[in-house]
Amino acid sequence: MRRPATPPRSTASIPGRDTRAASRPRFAVVGNPENRRVTLFADAVRAAGLPSPRVLPWTDVLGAGGAEFGPQEIVRVDSPGENAQVDRLLRGTQDPTRVEGSARWYAGFTAALRGLRGGIRLDDPDDLAVLFDKRRCHAVLDTAGVPVPASPTSGPRAAPVRGWDDVRALMREHRMPRLFVKPAHGSSASGVLAVETGGAGRIRATTSVELAADGALFNSLKVRRYERERDIAAIVDALAPDGLHLERWLPKASQQGRAADLRVVVVAGRATHAVVRTSRTPLTNLHLGGGRGDLDTARRAVEAAGARWSDLLGVCEQAAACFPRTLCVGVDLLPAVGWRRAAVGEVNAFGDLLPRLTGLPGSGAEGLDTYATQVAAALLAHAPSHHRHGNRTGPTHALARPDA
């Protein structure tokens, strides 16, 4: 696979909010209308001087098997999460806290994407299908030369994982005493287990999964540790039919004694926003008790180690370049101990929910949140002057210059 070129970094600015609404396309959003993701994006559109976007609820899209958009509509696909009715339609379960059913969710989600017709798309259906399959995404990144944790479950020689016995065999074969076991189609750390083994047969799994007495699995905001192998095996065996992805557990850098990683948002090929996430557990997700670390401290640690901060951001841009037809992704960057190197843990299609966080210095998004940045980039790519030159197929790879 040929890796798309990483766009050059620049200190150019995104245009302000002086837009001519009459000459600009109108936005449309596929999302859950009550969700703050949709609300924040709509606020950014209005702040740009444009009319409110047309919102198509996921319930309507799933019920109708798709939706039609006008030729001038700029279409954003947003997360179908955090809505019990949508979850029932996609996963076929009455309980939105259940972990199982991610394979059915994936099939329903990708089918719905194929049913969206017309408009100017900010999210490519084929890109999203890869981003929501961790095995395929890992293989794409690895082939492109993006540093990623070693995995036996991606690429042309991917090993099948039918249950805990296969996980144990792969741990021995690939000498992975510590690894992450991830549902192939999961998100927000749902179903993820951080597994570590020791001498005398000791084993421990850290996860947000709650194992019920009847074997059912539930998402929880409480991070648990299981130290009986039969419990860990029961969880993995229940998740395996939906597909599993295994990755070597890379020791991460720390900040104030807590494990640290970064969520970096890349818009139109450029790393524009970043937040440090820290935790006392291997799971740094903020909704699981992770906290925001200090970005300036992280940058100083990188530079003190003899590395360049721009190189770490460049790794994120390199990962995003594997999905050139999708305007925005959120990259989970795993800095190694010592802060000198980093690997990409995941690339998230809906990784831009960082309220009130403004852009990185020199990113072109200074003073703008993630949603305002995407609105500006979309307008730059799809203004009428661009339409006259036939540029209608995907986002631009350069943010606006001051005179745009």
Side-chain angles (χ1 to χ4, degrees), residues 106-167:
Y106 178 77
F109 176 66
T110 53
L113 294 174
R114 293 192 296 271
L116 302 179
R117 299 171 294 276
I120 303 165
R121 299 288 293 276
L122 299 182
D123 316 85
D124 181 75
D126 292 335
D127 282 355
L128 294 179
V130 173
L131 289 166
F132 275 98
D133 188 324
K134 298 183 193 304
R135 300 161 299 190
R136 294 176 64 190
C137 185
H138 185 281
V140 167
L141 296 171
D142 192 33
T143 301
V146 178
V148 288
S151 171
T153 55
S154 75
R157 298 181 181 177
V161 182
R162 294 161 295 228
W164 177 244
D165 289 343
D166 287 344
V167 173

Side-chain angles (χ1 to χ4, degrees), residues 33-346:
E34 76 286 354
N35 194 280
R36 59 177 174 162
R37 294 175 180 271
V38 173
T39 301
L40 290 168
F41 184 78
D43 290 344
V45 171
R46 288 189 292 268
L50 300 173
S52 294
R54 182 167 73 104
V55 178
L56 287 82
W58 270 112
T59 50
D60 293 353
V61 170
L62 293 169
E68 296 275 357
F69 300 93
Q72 299 298 314
E73 283 189 294
I74 300 178
V75 183
R76 169 186 171 88
V77 175
D78 219 323
S79 171
E82 301 178 31
N83 182 295
Q85 184 178 357
V86 172
D87 193 68
R88 284 194 295 271
L89 291 171
L90 287 174
R91 290 200 302 129
T93 177
Q94 297 299 314
D95 189 342
T97 67
R98 290 292 293 269
V99 181
E100 306 94 325
S102 60
R104 177 170 173 169
W105 181 98
Y106 178 77
F109 176 66
T110 53
L113 294 174
R114 293 192 296 271
L116 302 179
R117 299 171 294 276
I120 303 165
R121 299 288 293 276
L122 299 182
D123 316 85
D124 181 75
D126 292 335
D127 282 355
L128 294 179
V130 173
L131 289 166
F132 275 98
D133 188 324
K134 298 183 193 304
R135 300 161 299 190
R136 294 176 64 190
C137 185
H138 185 281
V140 167
L141 296 171
D142 192 33
T143 301
V146 178
V148 288
S151 171
T153 55
S154 75
R157 298 181 181 177
V161 182
R162 294 161 295 228
W164 177 244
D165 289 343
D166 287 344
V167 173
R168 269 297 208 182
L170 290 169
M171 291 172 69
R172 291 191 295 270
E173 179 183 350
H174 294 271
R175 298 181 179 179
M176 292 192 301
R178 302 170 80 236
L179 80 163
F180 280 89
V181 180
K182 303 178 178 182
H185 309 297
S187 61
S188 301
S190 174
V192 172
L193 295 92
V195 179
E196 49 194 325
T197 58
R202 295 193 305 273
I203 190 167
R204 179 169 67 183
T206 304
T207 180
S208 63
V209 173
E210 179 182 353
L211 175 63
D214 63 357
L217 308 182
F218 296 88
N219 280 307
S220 170
L221 296 179
K222 177 183 178 182
V223 175
R224 292 170 164 77
R225 287 189 170 93
Y226 295 93
E227 297 185 346
R228 296 189 303 183
E229 186 162 358
R230 67 173 179 268
D231 292 336
I232 300 169
I235 295 172
V236 172
D237 288 344
L239 292 173
D242 286 320
L244 290 174
H245 175 59
L246 311 184
E247 287 183 349
R248 186 179 299 276
W249 180 342
L250 301 179
K252 290 193 294 190
S254 63
Q255 191 174 98
Q256 294 186 337
R258 295 162 61 94
D261 62 18
L262 291 92
R263 166 63 59 83
V264 180
V265 177
V266 181
V267 178
R270 181 181 302 172
T272 58
H273 299 73
V275 63
V276 177
R277 306 181 303 183
T278 69
S279 177
R280 298 195 183 282
T281 78
L283 306 177
T284 58
N285 302 71
L286 299 180
H287 72 285
L288 295 178
R292 288 197 180 188
D294 187 81
L295 193 64
D296 288 336
T297 299
R299 185 176 64 249
R300 288 193 294 269
V302 170
E303 294 168 348
R308 295 188 302 179
W309 177 248
S310 60
D311 288 345
L312 265 69
L313 297 182
V315 171
C316 301
E317 293 172 347
Q318 184 185 0
C322 294
F323 307 97
R325 295 178 301 277
T326 294
L327 179 69
C328 176
V329 294
V331 180
D332 290 344
L333 190 69
L334 314 177
V337 173
W339 291 95
R340 188 175 178 82
R341 295 181 305 277
V344 171
E346 295 191 15

